[in-house]
Structure formats: structure tokens, C-alpha cells
Amino acid sequence: MPHLAGHLHWVHPPRQSRSQETLERLLDAAESVLTEKGFVEASVAEIAARAKSSVGAFYSRFQDKHTLLRCLHERFVEDAIATADAALDPALWEEQNIGEILGEVIPFLVRIYEERRSLISAFIVQCTRDPSYVESGGRLQRHLSHRLRQLLLARRHELTHPDPELAVDFGLRLVMHMLDISAMYAPKSLTEYELSGPELARELCRAYLGYLGVERTL
């Protein structure tokens, strides 16, 4: 089987206008600082300095850090949708079965969560306070589910679950829920079992395939 993990990568769609360059620099800097320090510890001054901008330029675009985070979330959703389109392109997986597909896609999802853990955990917290986060996150989840269903249901003969369409969608929900929990509680574990990224990916893949009724030994 061709090893495709190196070909799966986060996608930044091209932005429409050069006038957005300062905004993009601020967002890139903010994402970097939040990834390192978390939302609470990230300061406007450090974000502006890392963007080679000024605090005044920051406040000319954002009312406060919460406005910035909402903008980061909107960009994250758009990038994630573009990433899903690229990673789940049927042409990329023509010769692979479901076990092989999920054996690459799930570790990719785990890697995204690991690399952006602080940012994603900040988004999850805001979901409890701002309905717009839930709406945007739901749009992403539905898009991801749609693309994955298209890919896996083209191989429905490999599935033994009595309702394949439901199974693909619900199994994905379980995976994403576990990743959300890992983002919120890492580096601590909720139980005595601490899983590394590769171990988490392996067990998520095993659980998803088992639920789908796909025969594969991991």
C-alpha cells in the first residue's frame, strides 16, 4: 500500500485580497502565540510584536482577544474544510480499502489536534458561551461527515454494520468527541492509561473499524 501520511497536510486556501495581509499576519501570530501559551496567557502586545505590527493595528481590527479568537475560529473552519476536501479526495484513495483509508486519515486528525491543541481547546470552551462557534463547528463537522461518507460508502461492501450511512457518521462523531476530550484535558489523562499520539490514533482506528464491522487486524 502506498504510504500517504506525508501527503496529507493542513491546507491554507488563498485569500482574496492583498489588503488582508496585515490581518493574516496578526492571525498567524495569534495562532502561534495561542498554540504556545494558550488563550488566557496570550497577550495582545506579544501577538502584535510577533506579527511585526502594533497594538494600535491590533485594536483597529479586533475589539479584544475574544473578537480575535472568533476570527481565528472562522479561518480555522475554512482551512479545515479545504483540508478535508484535499485529504478525502477520492482520487487519492482509489486503490485503498476502508481499513487503509482510516489507517491514514485518523492519525492525520490526531496530528492536527496535537499541533493545534491550545487553539482547539479555546474554541471548545467558547462553544459553551457563543452559539456562533457551535454553528460554524457544526458546518465543519457536517462537511467532514459528508466527504467521509462519500469515500467510505463507495466501499460499502466492506461494511457489515446494518446501517452503513449512520455508522460512518456516528463513528466519526465518536472519534471527534474523543479528540475534543484529548484537547481539553491533555497532557493529563482522565484514567490511568496515558496514550501517546500514535497509540490514540491506533485505538481510535481500531474502535471505528470495529463499529463499522470492517475486518482488519491492527
Side-chain angles (χ1 to χ4, degrees):
M1 176 189 78
H3 190 68
L4 297 172
H7 297 282
L8 302 183
H9 59 275
W10 189 252
V11 174
H12 286 293
R15 309 303 171 185
Q16 293 181 351
S17 170
R18 289 177 61 88
S19 65
Q20 287 191 311
E21 287 182 2
T22 300
L23 173 62
E24 291 297 322
R25 285 202 309 273
L26 283 166
L27 291 175
D28 289 342
E31 183 170 337
S32 176
V33 174
L34 264 65
T35 297
E36 293 173 13
K37 298 187 173 183
F39 179 69
V40 174
E41 297 299 324
S43 71
V44 170
E46 184 172 2
I47 291 170
R50 194 168 297 193
K52 295 182 170 52
S53 187
S54 66
V55 171
F58 177 95
Y59 283 112
S60 71
R61 289 168 173 80
F62 308 107
Q63 181 178 352
D64 51 26
K65 282 201 307 180
H66 289 283
T67 308
L68 164 70
L69 188 64
R70 190 178 302 111
C71 193
L72 277 173
H73 185 250
E74 291 171 359
R75 187 175 76 157
F76 178 89
V77 168
E78 294 305 320
D79 288 357
I81 286 174
T83 298
D85 288 341
L88 301 177
D89 181 355
L92 188 65
W93 305 100
E94 286 182 349
E95 299 179 5
Q96 276 68 57
N97 60 38
I98 289 176
E100 292 167 335
I101 292 169
L102 294 182
E104 299 285 358
V105 169
I106 289 180
F108 179 50
L109 288 172
V110 171
R111 189 166 76 248
I112 288 173
Y113 267 73
E114 287 182 330
E115 292 172 353
R116 295 164 174 82
R117 178 174 290 132
S118 295
L119 187 65
I120 291 172
S121 65
F123 295 155
I124 294 171
V125 169
Q126 290 304 310
C127 281
T128 66
R129 304 170 180 171
D130 186 340
S132 70
Y133 283 82
V134 178
E135 183 179 347
S136 294
R139 180 164 63 91
L140 169 58
Q141 180 78 13
R142 288 190 294 273
H143 187 83
L144 180 58
S145 175
H146 173 71
R147 292 306 301 259
L148 191 61
R149 286 202 314 273
Q150 284 185 317
L151 192 61
L152 299 192
L153 292 177
R155 298 159 175 81
R156 66 171 63 231
H157 63 279
E158 299 176 29
L159 305 173
T160 60
H161 190 285
D163 189 339
E165 293 198 19
L166 171 64
V168 173
D169 179 82
F170 188 73
L172 177 63
R173 290 192 218 178
L174 295 177
V175 169
M176 301 306 292
H177 181 64
M178 283 299 303
L179 291 176
D180 285 347
I181 290 175
S182 73
M184 288 299 298
Y185 291 97
K188 296 182 179 180
S189 174
L190 294 177
T191 72
E192 66 270 27
Y193 295 99
E194 295 186 12
L195 299 178
S196 66
E199 289 171 334
L200 176 61
R202 182 195 66 209
E203 295 309 314
L204 285 175
C205 191
R206 189 193 303 274
Y208 200 173
L209 291 173
Y211 175 67
L212 293 174
V214 174
E215 294 184 5
R216 186 192 180 203
T217 301
L218 294 178

